[in-house]
Structure formats: structure tokens, C-alpha cells
Amino acid sequence: MRPRVVYVHGNGNKVRAELLKSQWDTALFGRDMAEASRMAYWAPVRYPEPLPDLRPDPLDGCTELIEETPAAVDRAATEPPEDFVARTLGEARLEAGEIALEGRPGADESALVDWLRNMTYLADTLAQAGAPEEPGAELPLETLPLPRSGRTAVFRLLVKHSFKDVHGYFFGGAGPAMREVVKETLAGVDGGPLVVVGHSLGTILAYEVLMELGREVELLVTVGSPLAITEVQDHLARPPAVPAGVAAWHNASDLRDLVALDHTLRPEYAPQERVTDLLVTNDSGNHHGISEYLSQHEVRAPVQRIFDGTG
């Protein structure tokens, strides 16, 4: 039986499932994988309609979208970090329809708010260190060709949506339905070696489902993952560990990725010999884009070896 790969997408709304799967296939394999790949498409749990086909994913750091929304840029340029944190938390609570939090028993929202605050301050640091303001000044290759206000907006867009979807997952009652999408997708896959690839919040979904099911997985790949962050680990249903059925786990992140504030899973997820932490370069606008992660040699090569029968 030939290998199969299941994708679990990350934060924010996405294009329709078939197109999203094809985009991930192309980034990881260089071609559409047809029935060999499946997308665990949980976006409809949180968003009523998919993004239009030709609209870039704003959470990939698309500068064109920032330039189209000058009001958002102006607000990001002037809003103090603590005000941004408070507003984002308030919006997350409002979306969840909360009067009393609906999280898992014993879960403390304040720890997750620490993650929001840490992401916000790192976003501002990256924005300050970005492109020079003076016309004609030399532009470092890794920075955004935007003034500081635009760079702040790019990074804060990622912070806002990442926190709100993770908050909705843990506290807004969306978690069970999101996990059910992953379970149903995995249930539809049988046969040969299985690879599971998760991005951002999708890594939490993939991890928690695999912990629950004990499904045999040849390789688990997580990119841009918050699973190494203590504030996120505090909300997991089970203590951190490599899921029993996972033979190998590769975790890749860019040091500038706001969502992956901690980049090493090995210290917390035993047995450590199954976990490989990788630092890669993601030069998307916010250093979190999925295509840039999947196209990295360190991410692609182990997956392709399994599909080539040499893994």
C-alpha cells in the first residue's frame, strides 16, 4: 500500500478545501498528489465562507492586503501594545459568546493571555527592526518593504488571528468540532505508511487527536507550532508526550515566527529520541507562511523519502 499524507491547516479562514490541499501538495511535493493526500479542513467551524480563490491568505504575511486597508495600518501604528492585547482578548471573548469561560475543566485563561502578550511584543520588536524609513536606503533581504506602521500591521494581524482561533479552540467551545474534522479525515485513510503535517493551530489539533486515537503514524511534521510554549501546554488535555503511535516527529520553525515563540519540543515531549527540532528560514511576510515552510528541504526531504520508499 502506498503512503498517504493528511494535512491539518492553521489559524484563520482559508480558501476552499480542494484548492488549499493542492497548494500544500505543490509546496511539499511540487505536484498535486490526488488521492494520496487529504486536507483536514476545519475552517468552516469558525468561518461561514471560504476566502475567494484568488485572495491571498492574510496570515501568510501578504503585504498587498495591508496596503489595501490603510485604516488598519494607522491603528496599528498608534495603538499601544497593552491596548492591542486588551482589544484582541475582548474580541476573542465576544466571538466565543462568553459570560463564563467554556474551557476545559481547570483551564486558566490568564496563561494563554501571557502568550498573546509575548507575541505582541515580539511583533513590535520585529517591526522596529525592519525596513529603513529613508527612501533609497539599503533594504535587508529578510525585511518587509513597508514603513514601520505597515510592518506592525502585518505582524499584529498574525498575532490577532492566531490568538483568537486558539482561544476559540480552548475556551470558545469550538475544540470538539475542530478535532472531529481531523478524526474523520484520518478515519478515511487506510493502507500504507501515514504522514501527518500540521501548521500553527493545526499542530495542536493533530497532536491532541493523535494522543487520543493512538493512530500509527510514520512521521508527524509540525511547522510554525506553538506546542513548545508553556502557556499552550498548560491547556492540553494530556501532559506533553510523543503520541504513542508516532514513530518520528519533526518540528520546524523560523526564529522570527511569532506563533512558535519556543522552538524546541524535545525537552518536554518524551521519548526525546523520536523528536527532531529544526530551525529553518521562512521569508514570508510574517515568517509564518505555510508554503515557505513546506518548501524547505529539511521539511520536504523526510516526507519525500517515505513516498519514494526510501524512508
Side-chain angles (χ1 to χ4, degrees), residues 72-79 148-150 152-153 156:
V73 172
D74 291 343
R75 186 171 192 177
T78 58
E79 188 174 30
R148 177 176 168 181
S149 60
T152 301
R156 285 192 174 181

Side-chain angles (χ1 to χ4, degrees), residues 73-254:
V73 172
D74 291 343
R75 186 171 192 177
T78 58
E79 188 174 30
E82 285 302 321
D83 290 353
F84 172 78
V85 169
R87 180 168 62 86
T88 301
L89 177 59
E91 290 175 0
R93 287 172 169 168
L94 184 63
E95 283 186 7
E98 294 168 352
I99 300 204
L101 295 179
E102 299 177 4
R104 291 171 174 167
D108 179 5
E109 184 198 36
S110 64
L112 200 63
V113 177
D114 288 341
W115 176 54
L116 167 61
R117 186 174 292 107
N118 290 336
M119 281 196 295
T120 300
Y121 278 97
L122 177 57
D124 286 9
T125 299
L126 287 174
Q128 292 175 27
E133 303 286 347
E134 296 77 15
E138 184 177 353
L139 178 66
L141 291 178
E142 73 276 7
T143 61
L144 293 170
L146 294 172
R148 177 176 168 181
S149 60
R151 297 193 304 270
T152 301
V154 168
F155 290 125
R156 285 192 174 181
L157 182 67
L158 174 62
V159 170
K160 181 177 179 178
H161 281 278
S162 297
F163 178 79
K164 286 167 71 175
D165 277 347
V166 173
H167 187 278
Y169 175 75
F170 285 122
F171 294 106
M178 293 162 74
R179 290 192 297 275
E180 188 61 30
V181 172
V182 180
K183 291 178 186 178
E184 290 178 357
T185 306
L186 288 170
V189 177
D190 54 17
L194 175 62
V195 176
V196 176
V197 179
H199 176 226
S200 197
L201 173 55
T203 69
I204 299 177
L205 291 173
Y207 169 77
E208 293 220 281
V209 167
L210 293 176
M211 285 289 285
E212 178 182 348
L213 298 181
R215 177 73 183 263
E216 289 190 6
V217 174
E218 185 81 6
L219 177 64
L220 171 62
V221 178
T222 53
V223 296
S225 174
L227 280 169
I229 299 167
T230 301
E231 292 85 354
V232 171
Q233 293 175 9
D234 288 344
H235 295 84
L236 298 175
R238 295 172 175 81
V242 178
V246 172
W249 183 352
H250 288 191
N251 177 62
S253 60
D254 185 301

